[in-house]
PDB file of all heavy atoms in Angstrom:
ATOM      1  N   ILE A   1       0.823  -1.207   0.000  1.00  0.00           N
ATOM      2  CA  ILE A   1       0.000   0.000   0.000  1.00  0.00           C
ATOM      3  C   ILE A   1       0.859   1.260   0.000  1.00  0.00           C
ATOM      4  O   ILE A   1       0.502   2.267  -0.629  1.00  0.00           O
ATOM      5  CB  ILE A   1      -1.003  -0.001   1.181  1.00  0.00           C
ATOM      6  CG1 ILE A   1      -1.973   1.178   1.062  1.00  0.00           C
ATOM      7  CG2 ILE A   1      -0.273  -0.005   2.509  1.00  0.00           C
ATOM      8  CD1 ILE A   1      -2.772   1.217  -0.228  1.00  0.00           C
ATOM      9  N   ASP A   2       1.993   1.235   0.662  1.00  0.00           N
ATOM     10  CA  ASP A   2       2.862   2.416   0.649  1.00  0.00           C
ATOM     11  C   ASP A   2       3.363   2.710  -0.760  1.00  0.00           C
ATOM     12  O   ASP A   2       3.441   3.874  -1.174  1.00  0.00           O
ATOM     13  CB  ASP A   2       4.047   2.226   1.595  1.00  0.00           C
ATOM     14  CG  ASP A   2       3.625   2.214   3.061  1.00  0.00           C
ATOM     15  OD1 ASP A   2       2.551   2.767   3.363  1.00  0.00           O
ATOM     16  OD2 ASP A   2       4.365   1.647   3.877  1.00  0.00           O
ATOM     17  N   GLU A   3       3.666   1.653  -1.490  1.00  0.00           N
ATOM     18  CA  GLU A   3       4.096   1.826  -2.881  1.00  0.00           C
ATOM     19  C   GLU A   3       2.959   2.342  -3.745  1.00  0.00           C
ATOM     20  O   GLU A   3       3.144   3.205  -4.611  1.00  0.00           O
ATOM     21  CB  GLU A   3       4.623   0.498  -3.428  1.00  0.00           C
ATOM     22  CG  GLU A   3       5.187   0.581  -4.834  1.00  0.00           C
ATOM     23  CD  GLU A   3       5.707  -0.759  -5.341  1.00  0.00           C
ATOM     24  OE1 GLU A   3       5.805  -1.705  -4.518  1.00  0.00           O
ATOM     25  OE2 GLU A   3       6.012  -0.858  -6.541  1.00  0.00           O
ATOM     26  N   ALA A   4       1.745   1.832  -3.506  1.00  0.00           N
ATOM     27  CA  ALA A   4       0.594   2.278  -4.286  1.00  0.00           C
ATOM     28  C   ALA A   4       0.276   3.746  -4.036  1.00  0.00           C
ATOM     29  O   ALA A   4      -0.202   4.457  -4.928  1.00  0.00           O
ATOM     30  CB  ALA A   4      -0.628   1.419  -3.958  1.00  0.00           C
ATOM     31  N   LEU A   5       0.547   4.220  -2.817  1.00  0.00           N
ATOM     32  CA  LEU A   5       0.245   5.607  -2.465  1.00  0.00           C
ATOM     33  C   LEU A   5       1.368   6.574  -2.831  1.00  0.00           C
ATOM     34  O   LEU A   5       1.148   7.796  -2.827  1.00  0.00           O
ATOM     35  CB  LEU A   5      -0.033   5.721  -0.966  1.00  0.00           C
ATOM     36  CG  LEU A   5      -1.354   5.142  -0.461  1.00  0.00           C
ATOM     37  CD1 LEU A   5      -1.386   5.172   1.062  1.00  0.00           C
ATOM     38  CD2 LEU A   5      -2.534   5.912  -1.035  1.00  0.00           C
ATOM     39  N   ALA A   6       2.543   6.059  -3.127  1.00  0.00           N
ATOM     40  CA  ALA A   6       3.710   6.912  -3.369  1.00  0.00           C
ATOM     41  C   ALA A   6       3.425   7.929  -4.481  1.00  0.00           C
ATOM     42  O   ALA A   6       3.009   7.562  -5.586  1.00  0.00           O
ATOM     43  CB  ALA A   6       4.913   6.057  -3.730  1.00  0.00           C
ATOM     44  N   GLY A   7       3.614   9.207  -4.167  1.00  0.00           N
ATOM     45  CA  GLY A   7       3.424  10.260  -5.157  1.00  0.00           C
ATOM     46  C   GLY A   7       1.991  10.700  -5.360  1.00  0.00           C
ATOM     47  O   GLY A   7       1.733  11.631  -6.131  1.00  0.00           O
ATOM     48  N   ARG A   8       1.058  10.044  -4.683  1.00  0.00           N
ATOM     49  CA  ARG A   8      -0.351  10.425  -4.822  1.00  0.00           C
ATOM     50  C   ARG A   8      -0.725  11.405  -3.705  1.00  0.00           C
ATOM     51  O   ARG A   8      -0.366  11.202  -2.552  1.00  0.00           O
ATOM     52  CB  ARG A   8      -1.274   9.208  -4.733  1.00  0.00           C
ATOM     53  CG  ARG A   8      -1.201   8.233  -5.905  1.00  0.00           C
ATOM     54  CD  ARG A   8      -2.218   7.139  -5.700  1.00  0.00           C
ATOM     55  NE  ARG A   8      -2.247   6.125  -6.731  1.00  0.00           N
ATOM     56  CZ  ARG A   8      -3.022   6.155  -7.811  1.00  0.00           C
ATOM     57  NH1 ARG A   8      -3.831   7.186  -8.005  1.00  0.00           N
ATOM     58  NH2 ARG A   8      -3.003   5.176  -8.690  1.00  0.00           N
ATOM     59  N   PRO A   9      -1.501  12.449  -4.015  1.00  0.00           N
ATOM     60  CA  PRO A   9      -1.929  13.401  -2.982  1.00  0.00           C
ATOM     61  C   PRO A   9      -3.119  12.862  -2.192  1.00  0.00           C
ATOM     62  O   PRO A   9      -4.218  13.421  -2.191  1.00  0.00           O
ATOM     63  CB  PRO A   9      -2.310  14.627  -3.802  1.00  0.00           C
ATOM     64  CG  PRO A   9      -2.820  14.059  -5.095  1.00  0.00           C
ATOM     65  CD  PRO A   9      -1.966  12.841  -5.367  1.00  0.00           C
ATOM     66  N   ILE A  10      -2.882  11.741  -1.501  1.00  0.00           N
ATOM     67  CA  ILE A  10      -3.955  11.027  -0.809  1.00  0.00           C
ATOM     68  C   ILE A  10      -3.557  10.790   0.638  1.00  0.00           C
ATOM     69  O   ILE A  10      -2.436  10.366   0.930  1.00  0.00           O
ATOM     70  CB  ILE A  10      -4.272   9.692  -1.511  1.00  0.00           C
ATOM     71  CG1 ILE A  10      -4.898   9.954  -2.889  1.00  0.00           C
ATOM     72  CG2 ILE A  10      -5.198   8.827  -0.663  1.00  0.00           C
ATOM     73  CD1 ILE A  10      -5.160   8.690  -3.690  1.00  0.00           C
ATOM     74  N   THR A  11      -4.513  11.036   1.533  1.00  0.00           N
ATOM     75  CA  THR A  11      -4.329  10.794   2.957  1.00  0.00           C
ATOM     76  C   THR A  11      -4.991   9.479   3.338  1.00  0.00           C
ATOM     77  O   THR A  11      -6.116   9.189   2.907  1.00  0.00           O
ATOM     78  CB  THR A  11      -4.946  11.935   3.787  1.00  0.00           C
ATOM     79  OG1 THR A  11      -4.289  13.154   3.454  1.00  0.00           O
ATOM     80  CG2 THR A  11      -4.809  11.674   5.274  1.00  0.00           C
ATOM     81  N   ARG A  12      -4.292   8.688   4.154  1.00  0.00           N
ATOM     82  CA  ARG A  12      -4.801   7.397   4.610  1.00  0.00           C
ATOM     83  C   ARG A  12      -5.037   7.449   6.110  1.00  0.00           C
ATOM     84  O   ARG A  12      -4.175   7.898   6.863  1.00  0.00           O
ATOM     85  CB  ARG A  12      -3.790   6.302   4.292  1.00  0.00           C
ATOM     86  CG  ARG A  12      -4.030   4.989   5.028  1.00  0.00           C
ATOM     87  CD  ARG A  12      -2.860   4.050   4.840  1.00  0.00           C
ATOM     88  NE  ARG A  12      -2.973   2.867   5.691  1.00  0.00           N
ATOM     89  CZ  ARG A  12      -2.049   1.921   5.771  1.00  0.00           C
ATOM     90  NH1 ARG A  12      -0.933   2.014   5.066  1.00  0.00           N
ATOM     91  NH2 ARG A  12      -2.245   0.877   6.577  1.00  0.00           N
ATOM     92  N   THR A  13      -6.200   6.978   6.549  1.00  0.00           N
ATOM     93  CA  THR A  13      -6.473   6.827   7.981  1.00  0.00           C
ATOM     94  C   THR A  13      -7.051   5.439   8.223  1.00  0.00           C
ATOM     95  O   THR A  13      -7.925   4.982   7.490  1.00  0.00           O
ATOM     96  CB  THR A  13      -7.450   7.890   8.515  1.00  0.00           C
ATOM     97  OG1 THR A  13      -8.671   7.837   7.744  1.00  0.00           O
ATOM     98  CG2 THR A  13      -6.849   9.286   8.387  1.00  0.00           C
ATOM     99  N   ASP A  14      -6.544   4.772   9.254  1.00  0.00           N
ATOM    100  CA  ASP A  14      -6.983   3.419   9.583  1.00  0.00           C
ATOM    101  C   ASP A  14      -7.968   3.452  10.744  1.00  0.00           C
ATOM    102  O   ASP A  14      -7.840   4.262  11.667  1.00  0.00           O
ATOM    103  CB  ASP A  14      -5.782   2.553   9.952  1.00  0.00           C
ATOM    104  CG  ASP A  14      -4.833   2.345   8.781  1.00  0.00           C
ATOM    105  OD1 ASP A  14      -5.314   2.275   7.636  1.00  0.00           O
ATOM    106  OD2 ASP A  14      -3.613   2.251   9.015  1.00  0.00           O
ATOM    107  N   HIS A  15      -8.931   2.556  10.697  1.00  0.00           N
ATOM    108  CA  HIS A  15      -9.985   2.504  11.708  1.00  0.00           C
ATOM    109  C   HIS A  15     -10.261   1.050  12.077  1.00  0.00           C
ATOM    110  O   HIS A  15     -10.040   0.129  11.285  1.00  0.00           O
ATOM    111  CB  HIS A  15     -11.285   3.130  11.177  1.00  0.00           C
ATOM    112  CG  HIS A  15     -11.146   4.553  10.755  1.00  0.00           C
ATOM    113  ND1 HIS A  15     -11.473   5.609  11.568  1.00  0.00           N
ATOM    114  CD2 HIS A  15     -10.714   5.091   9.580  1.00  0.00           C
ATOM    115  CE1 HIS A  15     -11.264   6.748  10.920  1.00  0.00           C
ATOM    116  NE2 HIS A  15     -10.799   6.460   9.721  1.00  0.00           N
ATOM    117  N   THR A  16     -10.784   0.846  13.264  1.00  0.00           N
ATOM    118  CA  THR A  16     -11.352  -0.439  13.664  1.00  0.00           C
ATOM    119  C   THR A  16     -12.846  -0.233  13.839  1.00  0.00           C
ATOM    120  O   THR A  16     -13.271   0.653  14.594  1.00  0.00           O
ATOM    121  CB  THR A  16     -10.729  -0.944  14.972  1.00  0.00           C
ATOM    122  OG1 THR A  16      -9.326  -1.126  14.781  1.00  0.00           O
ATOM    123  CG2 THR A  16     -11.346  -2.272  15.382  1.00  0.00           C
ATOM    124  N   ILE A  17     -13.633  -1.013  13.115  1.00  0.00           N
ATOM    125  CA  ILE A  17     -15.087  -0.838  13.169  1.00  0.00           C
ATOM    126  C   ILE A  17     -15.733  -2.154  13.581  1.00  0.00           C
ATOM    127  O   ILE A  17     -15.093  -3.214  13.591  1.00  0.00           O
ATOM    128  CB  ILE A  17     -15.649  -0.337  11.827  1.00  0.00           C
ATOM    129  CG1 ILE A  17     -15.522  -1.403  10.731  1.00  0.00           C
ATOM    130  CG2 ILE A  17     -14.930   0.934  11.391  1.00  0.00           C
ATOM    131  CD1 ILE A  17     -16.138  -0.974   9.405  1.00  0.00           C
ATOM    132  N   HIS A  18     -17.003  -2.078  13.928  1.00  0.00           N
ATOM    133  CA  HIS A  18     -17.737  -3.263  14.358  1.00  0.00           C
ATOM    134  C   HIS A  18     -18.418  -3.917  13.165  1.00  0.00           C
ATOM    135  O   HIS A  18     -19.215  -3.286  12.463  1.00  0.00           O
ATOM    136  CB  HIS A  18     -18.773  -2.901  15.419  1.00  0.00           C
ATOM    137  CG  HIS A  18     -18.170  -2.426  16.703  1.00  0.00           C
ATOM    138  ND1 HIS A  18     -17.391  -3.235  17.501  1.00  0.00           N
ATOM    139  CD2 HIS A  18     -18.217  -1.221  17.324  1.00  0.00           C
ATOM    140  CE1 HIS A  18     -16.981  -2.568  18.553  1.00  0.00           C
ATOM    141  NE2 HIS A  18     -17.464  -1.334  18.476  1.00  0.00           N
ATOM    142  N   GLY A  19     -18.098  -5.185  12.948  1.00  0.00           N
ATOM    143  CA  GLY A  19     -18.724  -5.949  11.893  1.00  0.00           C
ATOM    144  C   GLY A  19     -19.880  -6.780  12.408  1.00  0.00           C
ATOM    145  O   GLY A  19     -20.531  -6.439  13.403  1.00  0.00           O
ATOM    146  N   TYR A  20     -20.121  -7.884  11.739  1.00  0.00           N
ATOM    147  CA  TYR A  20     -21.232  -8.772  12.081  1.00  0.00           C
ATOM    148  C   TYR A  20     -21.101  -9.261  13.525  1.00  0.00           C
ATOM    149  O   TYR A  20     -20.033  -9.657  13.979  1.00  0.00           O
ATOM    150  CB  TYR A  20     -21.245  -9.946  11.114  1.00  0.00           C
ATOM    151  CG  TYR A  20     -22.329 -10.952  11.329  1.00  0.00           C
ATOM    152  CD1 TYR A  20     -23.670 -10.562  11.332  1.00  0.00           C
ATOM    153  CD2 TYR A  20     -22.035 -12.296  11.506  1.00  0.00           C
ATOM    154  CE1 TYR A  20     -24.682 -11.492  11.516  1.00  0.00           C
ATOM    155  CE2 TYR A  20     -23.031 -13.245  11.673  1.00  0.00           C
ATOM    156  CZ  TYR A  20     -24.363 -12.828  11.693  1.00  0.00           C
ATOM    157  OH  TYR A  20     -25.370 -13.750  11.861  1.00  0.00           O
ATOM    158  N   GLU A  21     -22.198  -9.186  14.253  1.00  0.00           N
ATOM    159  CA  GLU A  21     -22.282  -9.605  15.654  1.00  0.00           C
ATOM    160  C   GLU A  21     -21.240  -8.915  16.532  1.00  0.00           C
ATOM    161  O   GLU A  21     -20.790  -9.464  17.541  1.00  0.00           O
ATOM    162  CB  GLU A  21     -22.161 -11.132  15.766  1.00  0.00           C
ATOM    163  CG  GLU A  21     -23.338 -11.868  15.118  1.00  0.00           C
ATOM    164  CD  GLU A  21     -23.345 -13.351  15.405  1.00  0.00           C
ATOM    165  OE1 GLU A  21     -22.245 -13.926  15.638  1.00  0.00           O
ATOM    166  OE2 GLU A  21     -24.434 -13.948  15.398  1.00  0.00           O
ATOM    167  N   GLY A  22     -20.878  -7.693  16.145  1.00  0.00           N
ATOM    168  CA  GLY A  22     -19.997  -6.885  16.972  1.00  0.00           C
ATOM    169  C   GLY A  22     -18.517  -7.164  16.834  1.00  0.00           C
ATOM    170  O   GLY A  22     -17.697  -6.536  17.520  1.00  0.00           O
ATOM    171  N   GLY A  23     -18.140  -8.107  15.960  1.00  0.00           N
ATOM    172  CA  GLY A  23     -16.733  -8.413  15.789  1.00  0.00           C
ATOM    173  C   GLY A  23     -15.958  -7.232  15.215  1.00  0.00           C
ATOM    174  O   GLY A  23     -16.500  -6.433  14.447  1.00  0.00           O
ATOM    175  N   GLN A  24     -14.698  -7.109  15.603  1.00  0.00           N
ATOM    176  CA  GLN A  24     -13.889  -5.989  15.145  1.00  0.00           C
ATOM    177  C   GLN A  24     -13.220  -6.316  13.819  1.00  0.00           C
ATOM    178  O   GLN A  24     -12.650  -7.395  13.640  1.00  0.00           O
ATOM    179  CB  GLN A  24     -12.832  -5.643  16.189  1.00  0.00           C
ATOM    180  CG  GLN A  24     -13.416  -5.071  17.469  1.00  0.00           C
ATOM    181  CD  GLN A  24     -12.352  -4.526  18.409  1.00  0.00           C
ATOM    182  OE1 GLN A  24     -11.223  -4.993  18.413  1.00  0.00           O
ATOM    183  NE2 GLN A  24     -12.722  -3.524  19.191  1.00  0.00           N
ATOM    184  N   ILE A  25     -13.299  -5.364  12.885  1.00  0.00           N
ATOM    185  CA  ILE A  25     -12.670  -5.525  11.579  1.00  0.00           C
ATOM    186  C   ILE A  25     -11.920  -4.238  11.241  1.00  0.00           C
ATOM    187  O   ILE A  25     -12.272  -3.150  11.701  1.00  0.00           O
ATOM    188  CB  ILE A  25     -13.705  -5.847  10.472  1.00  0.00           C
ATOM    189  CG1 ILE A  25     -14.873  -4.844  10.475  1.00  0.00           C
ATOM    190  CG2 ILE A  25     -14.243  -7.264  10.641  1.00  0.00           C
ATOM    191  CD1 ILE A  25     -15.897  -5.087   9.378  1.00  0.00           C
ATOM    192  N   ALA A  26     -10.869  -4.381  10.452  1.00  0.00           N
ATOM    193  CA  ALA A  26     -10.029  -3.243  10.075  1.00  0.00           C
ATOM    194  C   ALA A  26     -10.556  -2.597   8.803  1.00  0.00           C
ATOM    195  O   ALA A  26     -10.901  -3.287   7.831  1.00  0.00           O
ATOM    196  CB  ALA A  26      -8.594  -3.700   9.870  1.00  0.00           C
ATOM    197  N   ALA A  27     -10.601  -1.276   8.805  1.00  0.00           N
ATOM    198  CA  ALA A  27     -11.011  -0.516   7.628  1.00  0.00           C
ATOM    199  C   ALA A  27     -10.044   0.643   7.436  1.00  0.00           C
ATOM    200  O   ALA A  27      -9.444   1.137   8.394  1.00  0.00           O
ATOM    201  CB  ALA A  27     -12.436   0.007   7.778  1.00  0.00           C
ATOM    202  N   THR A  28      -9.886   1.075   6.207  1.00  0.00           N
ATOM    203  CA  THR A  28      -9.040   2.215   5.892  1.00  0.00           C
ATOM    204  C   THR A  28      -9.827   3.200   5.044  1.00  0.00           C
ATOM    205  O   THR A  28     -10.593   2.797   4.151  1.00  0.00           O
ATOM    206  CB  THR A  28      -7.768   1.774   5.148  1.00  0.00           C
ATOM    207  OG1 THR A  28      -6.968   0.996   6.037  1.00  0.00           O
ATOM    208  CG2 THR A  28      -6.956   2.970   4.675  1.00  0.00           C
ATOM    209  N   VAL A  29      -9.622   4.472   5.330  1.00  0.00           N
ATOM    210  CA  VAL A  29     -10.264   5.551   4.573  1.00  0.00           C
ATOM    211  C   VAL A  29      -9.179   6.281   3.786  1.00  0.00           C
ATOM    212  O   VAL A  29      -8.143   6.666   4.336  1.00  0.00           O
ATOM    213  CB  VAL A  29     -10.989   6.536   5.512  1.00  0.00           C
ATOM    214  CG1 VAL A  29     -11.579   7.700   4.710  1.00  0.00           C
ATOM    215  CG2 VAL A  29     -12.093   5.814   6.287  1.00  0.00           C
ATOM    216  N   PHE A  30      -9.438   6.457   2.502  1.00  0.00           N
ATOM    217  CA  PHE A  30      -8.554   7.240   1.643  1.00  0.00           C
ATOM    218  C   PHE A  30      -9.305   8.487   1.181  1.00  0.00           C
ATOM    219  O   PHE A  30     -10.455   8.393   0.727  1.00  0.00           O
ATOM    220  CB  PHE A  30      -8.121   6.443   0.416  1.00  0.00           C
ATOM    221  CG  PHE A  30      -7.276   5.244   0.725  1.00  0.00           C
ATOM    222  CD1 PHE A  30      -7.808   3.962   0.639  1.00  0.00           C
ATOM    223  CD2 PHE A  30      -5.944   5.379   1.100  1.00  0.00           C
ATOM    224  CE1 PHE A  30      -7.038   2.847   0.915  1.00  0.00           C
ATOM    225  CE2 PHE A  30      -5.169   4.264   1.385  1.00  0.00           C
ATOM    226  CZ  PHE A  30      -5.711   3.001   1.290  1.00  0.00           C
ATOM    227  N   ALA A  31      -8.670   9.633   1.290  1.00  0.00           N
ATOM    228  CA  ALA A  31      -9.262  10.889   0.833  1.00  0.00           C
ATOM    229  C   ALA A  31      -8.168  11.751   0.212  1.00  0.00           C
ATOM    230  O   ALA A  31      -6.980  11.623   0.559  1.00  0.00           O
ATOM    231  CB  ALA A  31      -9.939  11.639   1.978  1.00  0.00           C
ATOM    232  N   ARG A  32      -8.560  12.625  -0.672  1.00  0.00           N
ATOM    233  CA  ARG A  32      -7.601  13.531  -1.287  1.00  0.00           C
ATOM    234  C   ARG A  32      -7.042  14.476  -0.233  1.00  0.00           C
ATOM    235  O   ARG A  32      -7.774  14.918   0.672  1.00  0.00           O
ATOM    236  CB  ARG A  32      -8.284  14.317  -2.408  1.00  0.00           C
ATOM    237  CG  ARG A  32      -7.359  14.780  -3.514  1.00  0.00           C
ATOM    238  CD  ARG A  32      -8.122  15.101  -4.771  1.00  0.00           C
ATOM    239  NE  ARG A  32      -8.974  16.276  -4.646  1.00  0.00           N
ATOM    240  CZ  ARG A  32      -9.764  16.739  -5.605  1.00  0.00           C
ATOM    241  NH1 ARG A  32      -9.820  16.090  -6.762  1.00  0.00           N
ATOM    242  NH2 ARG A  32     -10.500  17.797  -5.432  1.00  0.00           N
TER     243      ARG A  32
END
């Protein structure tokens, strides 16, 4: 992912969210 983002004007933020039956899953948000 670092290579994919290299040179792109994009900000990455990582989150932990609640999935099915409350289980924790990892999500990432990309924005300009």
Side-chain angles (χ1 to χ4, degrees):
I1 187 58
D2 291 337
E3 184 180 350
L5 288 172
R8 291 183 181 268
I10 292 176
T11 299
R12 165 190 172 184
T13 56
D14 295 326
H15 301 263
T16 299
I17 68 177
H18 294 296
Y20 180 56
E21 294 189 333
Q24 292 189 331
I25 51 178
T28 293
V29 177
F30 295 106
R32 207 160 68 182

